Amino acid sequence: MRKLAVDVAIIGAGSAGLSARRSALREGASVVLIDAGPLGTTCARVGCMPSKLLIAAADAAHTVREAALFGLETSLEVDGPAVLQRVQRERDRFVGFVLETIEEIKAAGELVSGRARFVDPHTLRVDDHTEVSAKSIVVATGSAPFVPPPFRGLADRLLTNDGVFELERLPESVIVVGAGVIGLELGQALNRLGTRVTVVDLADIVGPLQDPRCKRSALEALSDELEIFLGYQLHSVEGDAESVTLRFSDADGTSHERRAQLLLCAAGRRPQLSGLELERANIGYEGGPPPPVDPLTMQLGQSHIFLAGDVTGEAPLLHEASDEGHIAGRNAALHPEVLAGKRRCPLSIVFTEPQIAIVGKRFNQMSCDDHRVGEVDYGNQGRARVMNQNRGLVRIYGEVGSDLLVGAEMVGPRVENTAHLLSWAIQKRLTVGEALEMPFYHPVVEEGIRTALRQLQTNLRVARSPSSECEEFGPGT
Ligand SMILES: Cc1cc2nc3c(=O)[nH]c(=O)nc-3n(C[C@H](O)[C@H](O)[C@H](O)COP(=O)(O)OP(=O)(O)OC[C@H]3O[C@@H](n4cnc5c(N)ncnc54)[C@H](O)[C@@H]3O)c2cc1C
């Protein structure tokens, strides 16, 4: 058995682990990176990048289909294998860049290939070939798709995001289980590329949205293209060599049956802790969900163990994984000293059309006494109408007294850009008045948020009328 002793051992060469490595090295620590493979990061291999590549093709198809509305004569033929080949080619290119970095790490003797598990608080065993002892350990093992028990027996009729980008042909039909971010993005993309898609979800969710009015707006827009059943009850699922049959009732109790070539399970992702034997790390962990970490230091209690990325179970997003890796890596190197890292304004985007985004504080964190809302409906917004993308709703939240912008939920055209503007404004602690002093070009979709900001400014001056205003924020605090 090979034995290594380092200052910092990092488990997981994903986005969080790679970022942790850079930060630990910057602090002068000796580092080893352990990964079980496949290498290349979830983001580049099976996540952010291939999904956006598929969506780009789907949106192009949709644009052609909509062309007649602008008076353009076109015809469309989707060459499924060619679509998937481009997705795979470009995906491989992105993965290639990561692999180049990993090759350098390997050449420096800082990579150990294999599955790590704790032997004791400071010792990791990698498969059965290497033992690593480390002063501090960063756990950056990511997350894996969760497949609920009823679907586990579907064998090759079952897909997750790990397999969908490996397909050689676009399926004729797919049942997507899960109306979260991944289910909606992939479901709409496949549907736009000609696959017949049905999306089902046990819960009444639309991506990450919490604001009921934004949820309604998003559901209306997406349901125009996609068959979506929220609050469904599963009766049975059966698979054979060619198809999957799902029997279920919808939220009203009406029974349905859908048969499809494949079932794409997008029922959430779970932190990858199993097999790690974290119980042996002497931190009071006895299995189950990840133990809570301090989001400013990524430290587990007062221990020498730090968590970063999807494994925390907190915000499974690429930029959060990188930031957390940076904080965890630096603190692992500095331990027992730990420094609070900087966290950014929360920002998440769903690349459906219309797009969905959430910025800053969420709807459920608002209270009737302390917050007000201003909104704009994109139905009549000038530029949105010009582009025939006039759907959606932006709701911006402000704080009574300080007049600060605190959050927003939105669905609408190009809200990826609107969400960025608002997140910068929130992080810079702009008041609603200060945001309104900023330039707004004409005609752009961002003009819409000026309307919402003006309404918010007015509402912030109004004392709450007990019933109507409070409905904006549900039961309140
Ligand atoms: C379909 C999809 C689309 C997405 N789209 C977006 C998007 O548009 N924008 C966005 O911000 N985020 C998106 N995400 C989320 C983003 O990809 C993740 O948040 C991010 O990649 C997580 O990085 P990580 O470092 O935590 O995990 P990973 O990149 O998964 O790295 C974990 C590593 O740990 C290794 N490992 C696990 N256990 C062990 C062990 N015991 N021993 C050794 N090695 C181990 C694994 O092999 C892996 O290499 C998407 C995710 C998916 C699935």
Side-chain angles (χ1 to χ4, degrees):
M1 171 107 36
R2 186 162 67 124
K3 294 201 187 253
L4 294 174
V6 287
D7 295 327
V8 178
I10 299 166
I11 315 174
S15 306
L18 288 167
S19 162
R21 174 184 169 270
R22 282 191 295 274
S23 295
L25 286 176
R26 220 173 287 136
E27 297 300 331
S30 58
V31 178
V32 74
L33 189 60
I34 307 165
D35 199 288
L39 294 165
T41 76
T42 289
C43 177
R45 276 189 322 105
V46 291
C48 331
M49 302 317 284
S51 60
K52 266 78 259 180
L53 284 160
L54 191 74
I55 290 167
D59 288 350
H62 184 73
T63 304
V64 175
R65 257 188 222 110
E66 296 272 293
L69 189 132
F70 298 95
L72 306 172
E73 293 282 331
T74 55
S75 67
L76 174 70
E77 195 177 321
V78 177
D79 180 344
V83 166
L84 292 164
Q85 278 159 23
R86 176 175 190 266
V87 169
Q88 288 154 10
R89 204 170 48 243
E90 291 296 317
R91 184 262 331 256
D92 290 349
R93 192 173 154 273
F94 291 120
V95 171
F97 296 135
V98 181
L99 294 182
E100 278 173 22
T101 303
I102 290 182
E103 274 306 312
E104 288 166 19
I105 300 171
K106 202 170 168 185
E110 289 170 5
L111 181 75
V112 178
S113 300
R115 188 155 295 279
R117 62 193 157 87
F118 280 83
V119 176
D120 64 43
H122 288 276
T123 313
L124 299 168
R125 182 151 312 155
V126 185
D127 291 342
D128 279 324
H129 53 72
T130 308
E131 205 163 82
V132 178
S133 75
K135 287 190 207 137
S136 311
I137 296 170
V138 177
V139 178
T141 48
S143 60
F146 172 69
V147 179
F151 308 116
R152 289 182 193 161
L154 290 175
D156 59 358
R157 297 295 103 204
L158 175 70
L159 274 184
T160 65
N161 66 286
D162 285 350
V164 72
F165 307 111
E166 293 303 324
L167 293 173
E168 287 174 9
R169 306 178 171 278
L170 289 167
E172 220 170 79
S173 49
V174 166
I175 294 164
V176 177
V177 175
V181 178
I182 296 174
L184 291 181
E185 285 190 352
L186 296 182
Q188 188 187 53
L190 289 169
N191 195 63
R192 287 185 162 190
L193 289 165
T195 299
R196 187 166 37 81
V197 175
T198 301
V199 179
V200 294
D201 201 299
L202 292 173
D204 181 25
I205 62 158
V206 185
L209 289 168
Q210 289 184 347
D211 190 313
R213 292 168 68 157
C214 292
K215 248 164 77 174
R216 215 173 306 132
S217 171
L219 186 60
E220 269 172 30
L222 293 167
S223 299
D224 273 357
E225 286 180 44
L226 267 179
E227 184 177 51
I228 304 178
F229 292 97
L230 299 182
Y232 95 119
Q233 292 275 328
L234 178 66
H235 296 168
S236 69
V237 56
E238 282 162 27
D240 58 31
E242 267 145 37
S243 64
V244 182
T245 305
L246 196 77
R247 293 186 189 87
F248 60 97
S249 48
D250 62 23
D252 298 329
T254 311
S255 295
H256 301 269
E257 180 178 304
R258 290 291 177 276
R259 199 182 154 102
Q261 207 179 332
L262 292 167
L263 183 139
L264 172 62
C265 187
R269 294 175 61 84
R270 297 275 160 95
Q272 293 208 83
L273 281 174
S274 71
L276 205 56
E277 301 189 31
L278 192 57
E279 297 85 340
R280 294 173 183 245
N282 215 5
I283 49 164
Y285 175 71
E286 286 171 8
V293 287
D294 178 336
L296 295 181
T297 62
M298 304 317 292
Q299 189 178 18
L300 269 180
Q302 300 297 311
S303 78
H304 60 292
I305 299 176
F306 300 80
L307 254 58
D310 281 15
V311 72
T312 62
E314 288 299 325
L317 297 167
L318 186 273
H319 65 278
E320 299 286 1
S322 296
D323 286 352
E324 289 170 6
H326 165 64
I327 296 169
R330 185 179 60 176
N331 281 334
L334 295 178
H335 188 262
E337 191 188 354
V338 288
L339 300 175
K342 189 166 163 50
R343 300 307 299 253
R344 299 170 217 251
C345 171
L347 168 64
S348 72
I349 296 168
V350 186
F351 292 83
T352 47
E353 206 179 318
Q355 292 182 334
I356 292 169
I358 297 193
V359 179
K361 287 197 174 160
R362 323 276 311 257
F363 176 83
N364 292 8
Q365 293 170 285
M366 299 295 121
S367 85
C368 299
D369 290 328
D370 300 332
H371 301 99
R372 296 290 181 272
V373 62
E375 70 176 39
V376 60
D377 188 312
Y378 272 103
N380 278 322
Q381 205 271 336
R383 183 67 188 286
R385 176 103 198 162
V386 164
M387 300 185 298
N388 187 40
Q389 291 176 14
N390 51 319
R391 308 206 66 166
L393 183 72
V394 173
R395 306 242 302 155
I396 307 180
Y397 315 127
E399 186 179 68
V400 175
S402 68
D403 277 5
L404 286 173
L405 285 171
V406 292
E409 297 205 9
M410 60 194 88
V411 43
R414 301 183 188 176
V415 295
E416 62 180 273
N417 303 324
T418 311
H420 273 87
L421 280 185
L422 285 172
S423 69
W424 291 19
I426 292 169
Q427 188 164 316
K428 281 289 168 194
R429 297 182 59 77
L430 293 197
T431 62
V432 178
E434 285 166 339
L436 278 166
E437 284 167 13
M438 297 297 166
F440 288 89
Y441 200 75
H442 175 75
V444 296
V445 286
E446 283 74 15
E447 280 178 301
I449 59 171
R450 184 168 52 188
T451 309
L453 287 170
R454 282 185 183 143
Q455 197 190 84
L456 176 57
Q457 194 173 42
T458 305
N459 289 346
L460 281 167
R461 288 192 205 112
V462 180
R464 158 162 90 89
S465 69
S467 61
S468 63
E469 181 77 1
C470 213
E471 278 164 18
E472 300 282 355
F473 294 126
T477 51

